Amino acid sequence: MLVQNRSAPDPRLLTNHRRSTASAVATAGSVSKGFDDIASWTFENFSKIVIAGLLIASAAAVLILLPGIGDTAAFLCFERSESSHFDSSRIHLPSVNWNSIPRIAPTLSDPYSSFRAERWIVVAAPSHSLPSATLRRLAGIKGWQLLAVATSRTPVDFSLKGGIILSLDLQSRLGFRSTDYLPYDSHVRKSIGYLFAIQHGARLIYDTDDRADVLDGDLGRRFDLQLSAGSEILLQYSHHDPNRTVVNPYIHFGQHSVWPRGLPLDCVSKIDREEFYTEVYGGHQFIQQGLSDGLPDVDAVFYFTRKSSGLEAFDLRFDADAPKVALPQGTMVPVNSFNTLFHSQAFWAMMLPASVSSMASDVLRGYWAQRILWEIGGHVAVYPPTIHRLDNAQAYPFAEEKDLHVNVGRLIDFLLSWRSNKHTLFERILHLSYAMAEEGFWSELDMRFTAAWLQDLLAVGYQQPRLMSLELDRPRAMIGHGDRKEFYPKKLPSVHLGVEEVGIVSSEIGNLIKWRKNFGNVVLVMHCSRQVDRTALEWRLLYGRVFKTVIILSEERNVDLMVERGQLSHAYKYLPKIFSRYAGADGFIFLQDNMILNYWNLLQADKNKLWITNKVPESWITARIDSNSSQWLVNQASLVKQAVSNFPAHFQTNFKDSNGEESLTICGSELFYIPRRFVGDFVDLVELIGDLDIHHMVAVPVFFMALDSPQNFDSDSLSRTLYLKDKGEIGFNLSSYSAQVPALYPFSISNESEFIKLIRVMASGDQLLKEMV
């Protein structure tokens, strides 16, 4: 059984994905010995174990982790194929006459045609004949009707006392348009069950799975089953930080080092309690997210890094006495499909996307729903533990979930910026679904599914809520001292890398915290030479846990992979736009993908000074320009002379040696650092170069010498960089690796076993990497 117990979508309904492959870097002309093969080494064949392993290493320290790209079961559907599903030029907003939707009444062939109930529990029917004890208890909760929606995995003889079984045959006879868009073997068929419940009188729907054991058998113990506007005051996350768009609610309920599935991994490190809260009148918490004791809703990153083979099942506990907490407009939270209560005002929000991976469907739904919820003045609230789930998993579908960590942040940013001037709620919902298909967050299939879903809602008698003015577009009120409400969350026992956490952070975690504290506001710009579709994810996962963010450049732009175009021969020309994007960063590190960066050895480097390999003779050379020089050197020297002649006086640099002979400084420029105080001057130098065809290996040392005197560089920080070029093209040489140097060049990983060996030796510097192999 899988941790989240999800089944994969029907592959017949998934959009085919195609990966674009970055072209090889065109090398410059012949340069002096030591530079012939610069930037031509290849990283290939990173496997799923690589992805899993780096995910493990990424989250082990409860620190920032960054996203990566997925396979065919992609959460954000990044790979746009040539099919109509992903070609935005062929996507058209469906035209729906909302006033002429015929009603769909229960058919005579529906054995429950006359049955009605106001409170429903909807689950996906299990793949075994005998219902579990927890499912039987769900069916026995007083005042609620259980509905089990069958998939192709459900035995035909499955039955459950007290529950309604919605078989595939019965589903096909209900007449819902939505049925045509749903895979047969996936839990997303629950969408049919939601429509069935609404058709049969639902006012509340509890969305869950067959492993949820409701505490005390009473859903009303914690959830608000009755809503009355203004009758209650709720604690609410504050909106004082305009840059905060998502929160980890587990901190509020006592688990500071645990995070929910779907939380952007760059938020994992934010473990501090709230400085203060505000308050909001209750009655509009139309979506209520409950927490789960035992095995909470966690992602594979957390699960793998916190559980060793010999560890007992997870049995985490949340603070049952902590107050429920609401989310203001502009702030989101992950919402799942196995412990969430929906009031009728939010029934439209229950549609589970079908073109994305099953482990991501409910997360995507939750963010999509929250954005639309603001259009009717509603909000999500998070509640203390309402269920207990046993951890009886034996495997976990990394491939089904890894795409959650790709671009959830981009999705949230998109939703916050989205606006619509449509006149009704359903028109705006369809408009947003269309926009998300255009952006590649899901496919055209889900846009058309949305249109069918909304028509089905009207057809079963659902009345769409009225629109309200959006608070996001109003000036935010100042939060006065009297409006600030304090709450101090408990810190309950947790687990950390297979060891109980009792308030003392391990030395390994402490190390990563130090690295993150030191480099957390430094942007890493990485140029991938070849096959970026195989490496972008891995680099983001490896280095994203330490740096503010990882920007990937390659010879070919790939929008789906968020890879920006940047020719290695002129990579410096692409840096200014990145600088402007991260104006608040402490600095920027440039790194080529054929150099391994041992970040743990750079803690003492001065982030206010320039770093470059000017003390590494294999990287930094001064070539004398004479009659024996290659034409490439002569041309580059001429271009440099022309450029320098136009520099302002404070940038002027002498390119002649002590004997007055002309020379040219060349640096491999595989690795260098620019602090924030030099960013403006660097941008000016790039503008002064203009269209001159000066190579990256020449321009970078020119810039550095123009920016500051070499004696002011922090040359020692990279002086021990290890170059192995004289060993020939041997790929990865284990015997040559050293965890004691800041960086190593070159390394070419060509298969899974080599990567595993690399991680094992790198673990001598970052012990958390041991968790992946």
Side-chain angles (χ1 to χ4, degrees):
M1 182 180 292
L2 302 178
V3 170
Q4 307 295 351
N5 200 23
R6 310 283 198 214
S7 57
D10 190 329
R12 295 169 296 179
L13 298 182
L14 287 174
T15 303
N16 292 328
H17 294 269
R18 299 181 63 190
R19 292 187 178 273
S20 59
T21 303
S23 64
V25 177
T27 58
S30 175
V31 192
S32 60
K33 184 178 180 180
F35 295 99
D36 299 62
D37 299 320
I38 286 179
S40 63
W41 303 82
T42 307
F43 278 74
E44 297 178 345
N45 299 325
F46 280 78
S47 67
K48 292 182 179 180
I49 288 183
V50 172
I51 296 167
L54 286 174
L55 278 167
I56 292 163
S58 300
V62 194
L63 297 166
I64 279 185
L65 305 169
L66 288 181
I69 304 287
D71 294 329
T72 55
F75 165 38
L76 298 182
C77 297
F78 285 125
E79 281 75 34
R80 297 188 181 191
S81 72
E82 295 176 357
S83 70
S84 60
H85 284 308
F86 284 87
D87 186 348
S88 61
S89 64
R90 302 180 187 177
I91 295 179
H92 302 287
L93 181 65
S95 178
V96 179
N97 187 344
W98 302 104
N99 296 319
S100 61
I101 307 299
R103 290 291 297 268
I104 299 177
T107 63
L108 295 177
S109 60
D110 176 1
Y112 309 101
S113 58
S114 61
F115 180 83
R116 297 185 67 82
E118 292 190 350
R119 298 177 178 181
W120 290 74
I121 299 172
V122 179
V123 303
S127 57
H128 41 79
S129 298
L130 295 177
S132 64
T134 54
L135 189 56
R136 291 196 299 270
R137 285 193 287 270
L138 278 174
I141 295 179
K142 293 182 179 179
W144 292 79
Q145 176 59 54
L146 179 79
L147 175 65
V149 182
T151 70
S152 59
R153 303 171 187 266
T154 306
V156 293
D157 61 346
F158 177 78
S159 64
L160 177 63
K161 182 179 180 181
I164 294 176
I165 311 303
L166 205 59
S167 67
L168 287 175
D169 177 63
L170 180 53
Q171 293 173 37
S172 67
R173 291 186 277 113
L174 295 176
F176 298 147
R177 299 169 180 83
S178 302
T179 306
D180 294 337
Y181 297 90
L182 299 174
Y184 285 96
D185 63 346
S186 172
H187 76 285
V188 302
R189 293 193 74 82
K190 289 167 67 177
S191 296
I192 301 174
Y194 308 144
L195 290 169
F196 182 90
I198 296 167
Q199 184 183 46
H200 289 264
R203 301 299 300 167
L204 292 170
I205 297 178
Y206 177 55
D207 197 13
T208 187
D209 66 10
D210 64 346
R211 296 170 59 195
D213 208 351
V214 176
L215 299 179
D216 297 330
D218 182 9
L219 285 170
R221 180 186 175 193
R222 298 265 165 72
F223 285 129
D224 292 318
L225 306 184
Q226 302 288 338
L227 295 181
S228 178
S231 62
E232 182 184 14
I233 295 178
L234 304 181
L235 205 63
Q236 179 179 250
Y237 284 103
S238 134
H239 61 260
H240 75 284
D241 181 0
N243 296 318
R244 183 173 73 170
T245 58
V246 64
V247 297
N248 177 0
Y250 291 178
I251 298 173
H252 177 84
F253 293 95
Q255 290 291 353
H256 293 243
S257 62
V258 186
W259 63 91
R261 179 172 53 94
L263 184 76
L265 291 180
D266 59 352
C267 298
V268 168
S269 64
K270 300 172 184 178
I271 61 175
D272 294 333
R273 72 172 183 86
E274 293 295 300
E275 181 181 351
F276 60 88
Y277 296 80
T278 56
E279 291 181 333
V280 65
Y281 283 112
H284 297 279
Q285 60 270 36
F286 302 142
I287 299 178
Q288 300 174 15
Q289 177 64 67
L291 300 189
S292 169
D293 281 341
L295 178 65
D297 183 20
V298 295
D299 59 24
V301 175
F302 179 91
Y303 192 80
F304 265 128
T305 58
R306 305 306 178 86
K307 190 168 188 177
S308 65
S309 58
L311 189 67
E312 295 180 357
F314 281 137
D315 192 13
L316 296 175
R317 302 288 169 163
F318 291 98
D319 182 5
D321 298 321
K324 58 196 171 193
V325 58
L327 281 298
Q329 290 190 18
T331 305
M332 293 185 168
V333 69
V335 173
N336 61 47
S337 63
F338 63 78
N339 189 23
T340 309
L341 182 71
F342 289 80
H343 281 259
S344 60
Q345 295 92 330
F347 281 171
W348 50 265
M350 300 196 73
M351 180 195 86
L352 286 167
S355 69
V356 300
S357 67
S358 63
M359 292 297 294
S361 180
D362 56 346
V363 173
L364 180 58
R365 176 187 74 172
Y367 285 125
W368 167 82
Q370 287 173 80
R371 176 58 189 88
I372 295 295
L373 198 60
W374 302 339
E375 300 287 335
I376 61 172
H379 55 253
V380 171
V382 185
Y383 287 70
T386 54
I387 64 172
H388 183 276
R389 296 175 80 236
L390 286 176
D391 175 18
N392 55 3
Q394 297 178 351
Y396 199 89
F398 256 121
E400 275 293 282
E401 187 197 272
K402 63 182 179 180
D403 302 303
L404 283 173
H405 312 303
V406 177
N407 237 354
V408 180
R410 186 172 77 92
L411 171 64
I412 294 171
D413 290 342
F414 167 80
L415 292 172
L416 290 174
S417 64
W418 176 82
R419 297 292 186 274
S420 177
N421 58 5
K422 300 296 183 181
H423 299 296
T424 67
L425 177 66
F426 279 14
E427 288 178 309
R428 291 191 181 181
I429 293 174
L430 186 56
H431 185 208
L432 176 57
S433 295
Y434 166 74
M436 289 176 64
E438 280 197 313
E439 291 294 321
F441 290 115
W442 57 28
S443 79
E444 184 182 3
L445 179 144
D446 275 320
M447 181 196 67
R448 299 193 178 281
F449 176 27
T450 303
W453 164 261
L454 296 174
Q455 291 177 79
D456 283 339
L457 284 173
L458 294 175
V460 299
Y462 183 75
Q463 295 184 355
Q464 55 180 309
R466 292 185 302 171
L467 294 171
M468 299 184 67
S469 60
L470 193 64
E471 293 180 11
L472 281 179
D473 294 332
R474 304 178 196 164
R476 289 296 181 106
M478 295 293 294
I479 302 174
H481 183 74
D483 298 323
R484 301 185 177 200
K485 305 300 176 183
E486 290 189 344
F487 171 72
Y488 294 91
K490 297 177 182 178
K491 188 172 183 181
L492 301 178
S494 184
V495 290
H496 209 83
L497 296 176
V499 180
E500 287 207 9
E501 181 182 355
V502 291
I504 299 177
V505 181
S506 69
S507 60
E508 292 82 5
I509 298 301
N511 285 334
L512 198 49
I513 289 174
K514 286 191 298 183
W515 303 331
R516 179 62 197 177
K517 184 177 181 181
N518 192 66
F519 297 113
N521 200 32
V522 173
V523 174
L524 178 67
V525 182
M526 189 165 203
H527 191 283
C528 290
S529 298
R530 297 177 184 173
Q531 297 183 328
V532 68
D533 58 318
R534 296 188 180 185
T535 59
L537 168 64
E538 285 75 15
W539 295 128
R540 283 194 173 107
L541 292 173
L542 176 59
Y543 294 126
R545 52 200 281 273
V546 175
F547 295 97
K548 179 181 180 71
T549 192
V550 178
I551 305 297
I552 304 292
L553 301 178
S554 187
E555 298 298 309
E556 290 185 1
R557 183 185 182 208
N558 190 318
V559 177
D560 297 332
L561 298 177
M562 291 195 69
V563 173
E564 303 177 28
R565 185 179 182 275
Q567 290 182 325
L568 182 57
S569 59
H570 297 87
Y572 63 94
K573 292 187 176 183
Y574 301 91
L575 297 181
K577 67 177 183 180
I578 298 174
F579 294 164
S580 64
R581 211 181 307 162
Y582 297 95
D586 292 340
F588 300 82
I589 290 179
F590 179 87
L591 179 70
Q592 292 182 28
D593 65 348
N594 50 10
M595 176 169 277
I596 302 299
L597 182 64
N598 290 339
Y599 41 81
W600 52 85
N601 290 321
L602 292 174
L603 283 178
Q604 304 305 316
D606 190 338
K607 290 188 295 180
N608 290 314
K609 293 184 177 182
L610 296 164
W611 314 344
I612 198 166
T613 51
N614 62 309
K615 286 191 175 182
V616 181
E618 297 91 344
S619 177
W620 182 286
I621 65 171
T622 299
R624 185 167 298 172
I625 306 301
D626 54 29
S627 59
N628 295 321
S629 299
S630 69
Q631 189 59 47
W632 187 85
L633 282 175
V634 172
N635 291 341
Q636 289 292 302
S638 175
L639 292 171
V640 168
K641 187 174 182 179
Q642 179 183 344
V644 171
S645 67
N646 294 320
F647 284 0
H650 63 285
F651 285 151
Q652 290 287 340
T653 305
N654 186 2
F655 289 95
K656 293 185 178 181
D657 61 19
S658 58
N659 295 322
E661 296 180 355
E662 188 176 3
S663 62
L664 181 68
T665 300
I666 306 173
C667 178
S669 304
E670 303 93 352
L671 171 62
F672 57 85
Y673 169 77
I674 303 169
R676 179 167 52 187
R677 70 188 185 99
F678 286 113
V679 163
D681 287 344
F682 190 99
V683 173
D684 290 343
L685 288 166
V686 173
E687 292 177 353
L688 289 168
I689 291 291
D691 295 330
L692 294 178
D693 189 20
I694 300 179
H695 196 277
H696 181 73
M697 296 186 297
V698 176
V700 171
V702 168
F703 288 178
F704 269 61
M705 289 187 292
L707 290 172
D708 205 356
S709 170
Q711 66 184 16
N712 294 328
F713 298 172
D714 186 359
S715 302
D716 293 338
S717 62
L718 300 178
S719 63
R720 298 173 59 239
T721 298
L722 184 59
Y723 275 69
L724 305 171
K725 287 193 66 176
D726 59 335
K727 297 183 182 296
E729 295 188 12
I730 56 175
F732 176 59
N733 189 330
L734 279 174
S735 63
S736 300
Y737 179 84
S738 172
Q740 307 305 316
V741 299
L744 303 95
Y745 171 91
F747 284 90
S748 179
I749 299 172
S750 59
N751 56 55
E752 174 183 306
S753 63
E754 287 180 352
F755 182 81
I756 293 175
K757 293 175 182 177
L758 171 64
I759 293 302
R760 283 175 176 162
V761 295
M762 287 186 71
S764 61
D766 182 352
Q767 296 188 26
L768 291 175
L769 294 177
K770 294 178 181 178
E771 297 298 321
M772 64 163 291
V773 293

